[in-house]
Amino acid sequence: MTEYDDMDWLYDVLYASFDEQLLEDLFIEEYQSYLLKDIKILDASCGNGVQTAALAQRGYNVEASDISKNMVSLTNERLKKRELHIKTFVSSWKELPKRKDKYDLIFCYGNSISHSLNKEERINNLEALGNCLRNKGKIIIETRNWDKIHKLRYTIYEERTYKGKSYIPIYIWDNMDFEKCSNVQIIFIENDYGKMKTYEKILTFMPFKHTDIVKEAHELGFTVIEDNYSIERDNYCFVIAR
Ligand SMILES: C[S@@+](CC[C@H](N)C(=O)[O-])C[C@H]1O[C@@H](n2cnc3c(N)ncnc32)[C@H](O)[C@@H]1O
């Protein structure tokens, strides 16, 4: 059982404030230059499948995996609703190379790499993803910009509606520091026509400096071919290849 198994449908609540079609279009537009015809793609931490579905809907040859069985189920539900038929499976990044499948493009998207809970684990995870690349393959890593936000105490997100009920998610960040395991307590305040209820979930992560993860990628023999980091950004993305 992983922390994201416990999160389950509440992960969909986090996405409920967004116009999903617009979100998909923006995602595809941002990575269009890497989405070449006939490549094989893996969304290696697919979560609830928003990015996987965006790719599958547009005809890309994509597979989806995640360490969390319940997250893969959410992805499957999303794909089924849209009658999209692609391969999905449960796997940690560490276990991926055992499957022997190779990809031209791997997404490690949506702050997933921060769930590597120490430096060694992060390096091993990057290496494992690298071992699943075809010749000239690339990994797209998108993450929160911990350089900017590691001093945050809490984040209150806007109210959103999910299955007819309203929710306000609040993230309470616990003593964030670089290279230290931290928790975020996520409180969802549910308002069902005046009947209030709260749900609490805890996720564990480890903030890292941009310079550190880029250095690690170099030490593992990757070349950074694109990097949109700047201290002002809340999230950044870098693309590595061997
Ligand atoms: C913040 S969510 C991002 C999900 C999705 N990519 C998105 O952007 O919404 C992080 C995801 O990473 C997955 N994850 C965490 N550690 C992992 C690991 N070691 N191997 C594979 N997936 C992992 C979690 O189960 C979760 O679904």
Side-chain angles (χ1 to χ4, degrees):
M1 178 91 172
T2 72
E3 291 176 333
Y4 277 88
D5 283 320
D6 191 38
M7 186 95 165
D8 205 9
W9 62 276
L10 285 164
Y11 198 78
D12 273 341
V13 172
L14 294 178
Y15 269 94
S17 63
F18 300 110
D19 171 342
E20 218 164 275
Q21 201 53 51
L22 178 65
L23 201 68
E24 286 191 8
D25 289 344
L26 291 173
F27 171 76
I28 297 293
E29 195 184 306
E30 178 153 13
Y31 299 107
Q32 192 75 71
S33 60
Y34 297 103
L35 299 172
L36 305 177
K37 208 167 159 272
D38 297 331
I39 61 167
K40 192 171 168 200
I41 306 172
L42 177 67
D43 186 1
S45 38
C46 59
N48 61 352
V50 170
Q51 294 79 25
T52 305
L55 292 162
Q57 184 81 59
R58 288 157 182 81
Y60 291 105
N61 177 9
V62 60
E63 295 179 4
S65 63
D66 198 287
I67 196 172
S68 155
K69 192 167 157 277
N70 284 353
M71 286 293 130
V72 173
S73 298
L74 286 182
T75 293
N76 287 338
E77 272 172 39
R78 185 175 301 274
L79 294 168
K80 193 171 167 204
K81 261 192 225 147
R82 291 165 63 162
E83 297 182 22
L84 296 167
H85 305 284
I86 63 149
K87 180 164 143 190
T88 64
F89 54 94
V90 177
S91 175
S92 66
W93 301 313
K94 202 173 72 182
E95 299 292 318
L96 279 174
K98 292 190 189 151
R99 303 178 63 89
K100 307 223 183 313
D101 290 321
K102 303 276 185 215
Y103 302 89
D104 300 291
L105 188 62
I106 298 179
F107 280 96
C108 183
Y109 193 81
N111 197 38
S112 303
I113 198 68
S114 309
H115 294 299
S116 306
L117 297 184
N118 58 57
K119 197 177 179 68
E120 191 189 345
E121 193 180 311
R122 186 170 66 230
I123 291 170
N124 290 340
N125 285 334
L126 290 174
E127 175 67 4
L129 291 172
N131 287 339
C132 298
L133 289 178
R134 285 178 174 167
N135 188 25
K136 297 193 178 153
K138 299 174 183 69
I139 308 173
I140 295 181
I141 298 170
E142 198 263 357
T143 172
R144 277 184 195 268
N145 184 357
W146 300 111
D147 293 299
K148 178 178 175 191
I149 67 168
H150 78 280
K151 289 202 172 79
L152 266 190
R153 298 307 309 269
Y154 61 86
T155 313
I156 303 177
Y157 288 97
E158 66 187 53
E159 189 169 4
R160 72 270 326 271
T161 305
Y162 177 77
K163 296 196 173 167
K165 298 177 190 173
S166 122
Y167 295 85
I168 300 175
I170 303 174
Y171 280 40
I172 301 172
W173 304 97
D174 166 40
N175 289 330
M176 272 192 278
D177 207 354
F178 295 118
E179 305 299 336
K180 288 215 173 98
C181 229
S182 305
N183 287 327
V184 58
Q185 184 184 10
I186 308 179
I187 301 174
F188 295 84
I189 304 173
E190 181 187 271
N191 184 346
D192 183 10
Y193 295 96
K195 207 169 125 207
M196 310 296 283
K197 188 171 172 183
T198 55
Y199 298 87
E200 288 182 34
K201 299 289 162 193
I202 303 253
L203 293 176
T204 317
F205 62 94
M206 196 187 69
F208 49 81
K209 290 184 184 167
H210 167 260
T211 45
D212 285 343
I213 194 164
V214 166
K215 186 164 169 258
E216 286 155 16
H218 280 302
E219 283 170 1
L220 288 168
F222 291 103
T223 306
V224 177
I225 55 177
E226 191 182 334
D227 183 357
N228 68 9
Y229 171 84
S230 81
I231 190 63
E232 290 82 28
R233 296 182 66 103
D234 289 339
N235 291 63
Y236 62 90
C237 161
F238 62 100
V239 183
I240 55 178
R242 270 192 174 133

